[in-house]
Amino acid sequence: MEDTVRFKRFLKEGNLPTPWCPGCGNGQVLKSLAQAFEELNLDKHQVVVVSGIGCAGRSAGFFDLDSVHTAHGRAIPLAEGIKTANENLKVVVSSGDGDLLGIGGNHLLHATRRNTPLTIVCYSNEIYGMTGGQASPTTRLNTKTLTTPEGNRDVPFNVQAIIKAHNCFYARSTTFHLPHLKKCIVEALRHPGLSFVDVITQCIVNNGRRIGFKDAFEMLMYYKNNYKINDNAEFLKDNEIGITRCAGV
Amino acid sequence: MPRQKKGEVAINHDYCKRCNICPQFCPTKNLEIVGGKLVSYDRCIACFNCERYCPDLAIEVVKIYHVETTPAG
Ligand SMILES: Cc1ncc(C[n+]2csc(CCOP(=O)(O)OP(=O)(O)O)c2C)c(N)n1
Ligand code: SF4
Ligand SMILES: [Mg+2]
């Protein structure tokens, strides 16, 4: 067996294929999470994955370890409960932008205030994928979606500012920059307090096509050309990805 | 002498969704969707791009190790 496939021990291969559309980036994030677990050689019995509702929310069920697919927006409080009951566990939240920042946004605010030791991986496809492509809290200004046919007029959620306001760990990557994405998740898992990894992910079917991308590969090329890696910033610019510095850690 | 193939691409057709990501990442055009099915030829250089970018765990690349032989004489 090549080293590149060892991470599969963290996944339930028997449940594949995943329910995601052809070209959806969720599978790439799922793999990166398993690869990060493998890199840290985590004990399966010491990791719990929690998801909320949405396409990304389906991810929890594919991990071959204890996982919970909970109610919409409630992945973070449920994860905090698990961590409180057994602080020896590595508790990972694996969910969508709508789930974590929309309906679950208030839980995120208070979890950062408490700095609960969790790793939150946000599949940020800038859309409500599962329900057909409505604007989400991360949809960019002027972007056409099902609910914003003339372009989105609302400023997207500044996730970075919110996470960093309470000095929690913030990293951003994309599904094109896979080695970097894995590094971000590894560093997040190593962080002693709350860590958040913002993953820019392609939803070709309910977002990409509507805004003019031909296929998933074209979206990945857009990420390649648009984002530059900067792992040394205090605060990332819009076109930067990286692991931001966290004061006092 | 033709270029030796350096890897074997194993495709799991039950997992493959024919999203067409891997053929566009392959630097040697070793992968292609033909008649609705992903096929691989014998030009693999074992760069692992297809395996890395496949969202569906449908591809595994296995390296082929060639033994270097010195011509006699
Ligand atoms: C309480 C409740 N409200 C609304 C819904 C409908 N709903 C299902 S998934 C979803 C959006 C999920 O968006 P996101 O978290 O971004 O996931 P994605 O599908 O984009 O991966 C919504 C609004 C629901 N299931 N439950
Ligand atoms: S709707 Fe979008 S996010 Fe959901 S599975 Fe399809 S491509 Fe992925
Ligand atoms: Mg989403």
Side-chain angles (χ1 to χ4, degrees), chain A residues 90-109:
Chain A
K90 266 253 174 273
V91 186
V92 178
V93 173
S94 167
S95 210
D97 53 327
D99 186 72
L100 293 169
L101 311 173
I103 187 169
N106 202 33
H107 296 302
L108 180 71
L109 293 183

Side-chain angles (χ1 to χ4, degrees), chain B residues 49-67:
Chain B
N49 263 357
C50 54
E51 181 183 303
R52 181 176 306 120
Y53 281 97
C54 176
D56 294 296
L57 297 104
I59 292 183
E60 273 184 30
V61 178
V62 182
K63 267 192 197 159
I64 298 171
Y65 295 93
H66 296 284
V67 183

